[in-house]
Amino acid sequence: MAKAVSPGVQALRKVVDDVYADARKAKAEGKLVGWSSSKFPCELAEAFDLNVMYPENQAAGIAANRDGEIMCQAAEDLGYDNDICGYARISLAYAAGKRASRKFDPETLEYIIDPKSGKPLKDADGKVVIDPETGKPKKDPKTMQPYTVLDDIYEIEALPETTEKERAYKNFRREAIKPYRQMRMPQPDFVLCCNNICNCMTKWYENIARMRNIPLIMIDIPYNNTVEVHDTNVAYVRAQFDAAIKQLEEITGKKFDEKKFEQACANANRTAQAWLRVCDYLQYKPAPYSGFDLFNHMADVVTARGKVAAAEAFELLEKDLAEQVKTGATTTPFPEQYRVMFEGIPCWPKLPNLFKPLKANGVNVTAVVYAPAFGFVYDDLDGMCRAYYKAPNSVCIEQGVDWREGICRANKVDGVLVHYNRSCKPWSGYMAEMQRRFTADLGVPCAGFDGDQADPRNFNEAQYETRVQGLVEAMEANKAAKEAAAK
Amino acid sequence: MSIDVLLKEFQEVSEHPYKVLSQYKAEGKKVIGVLPYYAPEELVIAAGMVPMGIWGSNKKTIALAKEYCATFYCTIAQLALEMLLDGTMDQLDGIITPTICDTLRPMSQNIRVAMGDKLPCIFLAHPQYRRPAFGMQFTVDQYTNVKKELEKIAGAEITDEALRGAIKTMNASRAARREFVKLAGQHPEAVSAVLRSAVLRSAWFMEKAEHTAKLQQLNAELAALPASNWKGKKVLTSGIICDNPKLLQIFDDNGIAIAADDVAQESRLIRVDAAETGDPMMALAQMYADQDYDVLLFDEKSSENRRADYVVKQVKESGAQGLILFMQQFCDPEEMEYPYLKKALDAAGIPHVKLGVDQQMRDFGQASTAIQAFADVL
Ligand code: SF4
């Protein structure tokens, strides 16, 4: 949300761009490209120099680009129920070859512009230009876009190309697929699945494997009921690492490279630690940036935590932040009056709508659960098993509460905003009890709202605004009571 | 006893699990609630206690459970919690909470929190790698935890011998139920869809040995019947659960027989048995490893469509003309496997219909229309 882009943020953006670009290049060169769940131990794939892409990150990007609905609908048309996780639906539609594309005239090969798209035209003084004929604001033609339509890459590839015209049409249809990187991700040659986040992941990746007839490498992390990870659980995961390595050796025809693996582990630890330190900067009052930015930086921990570039980019951002706190500067585009924890994944298609009432009320997000959730720090292989055993949805309620209350305390929040995310059953499934605990243990008010990480149809803006308002009022009352008590 | 009398007895149990629970308690028995799926009931029996399945309720409404979960969870899990909160389950001595799906994971936590000191909650996480040695070991480790917790409640150790005995009891129960499914499919004129479900459902509530003895009698009666000349249609049912008598009445009213099922509460969980000799804990792990073709289980050959192919085979072998899928609302494992089930059925030329259901459904008008229309095209 910040306008000024620091060198660290720039570096972080480049890291993710490169991951996508490298994968496209690898695919073009005929190398293997895999798809992986976000909390699969990427260290294993790094040891084989594999190009790996991350459907969760992709789905978030597609949703943020406003194509969540058309892709979700495409999955529903394939038979996937609309109750299924929005990321899974987007990813399954994509795996099946479905793409959000731009409408064009097959005769003229020209895009058909949607008159509803585009931003208002502004004059030199920045004032909106009114169309004298309609009395309505004029549109800036540069910002207008073609209609969005659904296409299918396998249908396109099956088109004939005997005549010049057919070739031109086929090429144009290929090119019409929306050009942003998440809509141009290469199809997978293998999939890497770790179900520490949810069991839906298991079925999701099995479906992809079946659809594309490709190998699936699975790391199974059964749910854990205790804060500690027992040795028996560690042994189970350790054995799976060995099995996964064997499978990867078969797929790649290469031997497992211990050196590369160790390097990837070192990188992953370095990234995780830098990530945690960046997150910790939100402890400053006022925070040097808006916690919403962390949602964007998550892309780096997801797609590149095993790469040295990611570690370096986070370290760079850390430097920027150190400078900022020296001067008390912040990139949060409003004065911080309240500090909250945002619980859950944001509603990507509705990010501006989420931000609006927060900004209006001076509410800064200074804590997100992803901070500890991606801080995979470990010393050895057993430690690595333990680290991957602790994903947001694989831990018991006590651990979940402890993580959150830890960051709420450290990052000094005044309230908690809980996203009841229709897509994510395991996450939302014990939030009601957690909310009660936050209030009891921290004395902070909580407010919940209904939404979805990817499907815009499940978000109700009016409800959200009312809930934020209610939370602000409760925080205000809390503040007043505290001030009165202090006197 | 005649077939009708036996069926009525099963129905009585199926309709009134609370009475059964109260009766066992009055007899001084300890009863352990068993949530779905794949909990080893053998361990409960070996501890001298009664396992009682909890599969939601067709009669209750979600009220108290709202304190713990949002609306987008299957009613099976929500109503299980409801009955724990509203006192229906107060007589239980413990409960086993498996966590194989994304609803049961957080539900295990809600139940543990809500029950506090009131009821011991025994946590169970199954591995998705069932067959490799490391997966078998993990199952044994988890079952060992369950065993220890049960021993605490029972106040006595579970011996290997008792466990082997319990395995025999459960094997006999499963065998009798499998036999019944076959016979009921062959003699729909003698066993209505409503009563077929009552027989299978009551197995979750009655003491297994008692249920088996009665069921063996029934099976003997059914086997002695002359060959059926059923004029109606035959279908295979699929889904997590379809035990609502009002829903099943539609089958009976329209002359639709259930030839066999791919239903979790009925046949899916009783397809395989455990070895009666050797290390009994290993035998239980092996039994879980032998389970297959289930939407809840990971398939190591996931690029094939084995589960759907299996269902197609079931349809063909049972003589069913089509498949009726009861899609439990908000059940992602079922929903995720639907497109490939559909694909296999379509490829095999087997007609099917998908009906959305949940346990708070009270009006079956739409379902009735859909089932009738489906039967007409068979
Ligand atoms: S019905 Fe589906 S979602 Fe509900 S408990 Fe069973 S498997 Fe889980």
Side-chain angles (χ1 to χ4, degrees), chain B residues 37 74 76 101 103-104 240 296 328 330-331 333:
Chain B
Y37 301 81
C74 74
I76 296 184
C101 75
T103 293
L104 293 173
I240 293 290
L296 291 164
Q328 184 67 34
F330 300 123
C331 176

Coordinates of all heavy atoms in Angstrom, one line a residue, chain B residues 37 74 76 101 103-104 240 296 328 330-331 333, ligand 1:
Chain B
Y37 N -13.2 -40.9 11.2 CA -13.2 -42.2 10.4 C -12.1 -43.1 10.8 O -11.0 -42.6 11.2 CB -13.1 -41.9 8.9 CG -14.2 -40.9 8.5 CD1 -14.1 -39.6 8.7 CD2 -15.3 -41.4 7.9 CE1 -15.1 -38.7 8.3 CE2 -16.4 -40.5 7.4 CZ -16.2 -39.2 7.7 OH -17.2 -38.3 7.3
C74 N -19.5 -29.3 7.7 CA -20.5 -30.3 7.5 C -21.3 -30.5 8.7 O -20.8 -30.3 9.9 CB -19.8 -31.6 7.1 SG -19.0 -32.4 8.5
I76 N -22.5 -33.2 10.0 CA -22.1 -34.3 10.7 C -21.2 -33.9 11.9 O -21.4 -34.3 13.1 CB -21.3 -35.3 9.8 CG1 -22.2 -35.8 8.7 CG2 -20.7 -36.5 10.7 CD1 -21.6 -36.9 7.9
C101 N -9.9 -35.3 8.1 CA -10.3 -34.2 7.1 C -10.1 -32.8 7.7 O -9.9 -32.7 8.9 CB -11.7 -34.4 6.6 SG -12.9 -34.0 7.8
T103 N -12.2 -30.6 8.4 CA -13.2 -30.2 9.4 C -12.9 -30.9 10.7 O -13.0 -30.3 11.8 CB -14.6 -30.6 8.9 OG1 -14.9 -29.8 7.7 CG2 -15.7 -30.4 9.9
L104 N -12.5 -32.1 10.7 CA -12.3 -32.9 11.9 C -11.0 -32.4 12.6 O -10.9 -32.5 13.8 CB -12.2 -34.4 11.6 CG -13.5 -35.0 11.2 CD1 -13.3 -36.4 10.7 CD2 -14.6 -34.9 12.2
I240 N -20.8 -39.9 2.0 CA -20.4 -40.1 3.4 C -21.5 -40.9 4.1 O -21.2 -41.8 4.8 CB -20.1 -38.8 4.0 CG1 -18.9 -38.1 3.4 CG2 -19.9 -39.0 5.5 CD1 -17.5 -38.8 3.7
L296 N -11.2 -40.2 1.4 CA -10.4 -39.6 2.5 C -9.0 -40.1 2.5 O -8.2 -39.6 3.3 CB -11.1 -40.1 3.8 CG -12.4 -39.5 4.1 CD1 -13.1 -40.2 5.2 CD2 -12.2 -38.0 4.5
Q328 N -22.5 -34.7 0.7 CA -22.7 -34.0 2.0 C -22.1 -32.6 1.9 O -21.0 -32.4 1.5 CB -21.8 -34.8 3.0 CG -21.9 -34.3 4.5 CD -23.3 -34.5 5.1 OE1 -23.9 -35.5 4.8 NE2 -23.7 -33.6 5.9
F330 N -20.4 -29.2 2.2 CA -19.2 -28.7 2.9 C -18.2 -29.8 3.1 O -17.3 -29.7 3.9 CB -19.5 -28.0 4.2 CG -20.3 -26.7 4.0 CD1 -21.5 -26.6 4.7 CD2 -19.9 -25.7 3.1 CE1 -22.3 -25.5 4.5 CE2 -20.7 -24.6 3.0 CZ -21.9 -24.5 3.7
C331 N -18.4 -31.0 2.5 CA -17.4 -32.0 2.7 C -16.4 -32.0 1.5 O -16.6 -32.4 0.4 CB -18.1 -33.4 2.7 SG -16.9 -34.7 2.7
P333 N -13.4 -33.5 0.9 CA -12.9 -34.7 0.2 C -13.8 -35.3 -0.8 O -13.4 -35.7 -1.9 CB -12.7 -35.7 1.4 CG -12.6 -34.8 2.6 CD -13.4 -33.6 2.3
Ligands
SF4_1 S1 -18.5 -35.3 6.1 FE1 -16.6 -34.8 5.0 S2 -16.0 -32.8 6.0 FE2 -17.5 -33.8 7.4 S3 -16.4 -35.0 8.8 FE3 -16.9 -36.4 7.1 S4 -15.1 -36.2 5.7 FE4 -15.0 -34.5 7.1

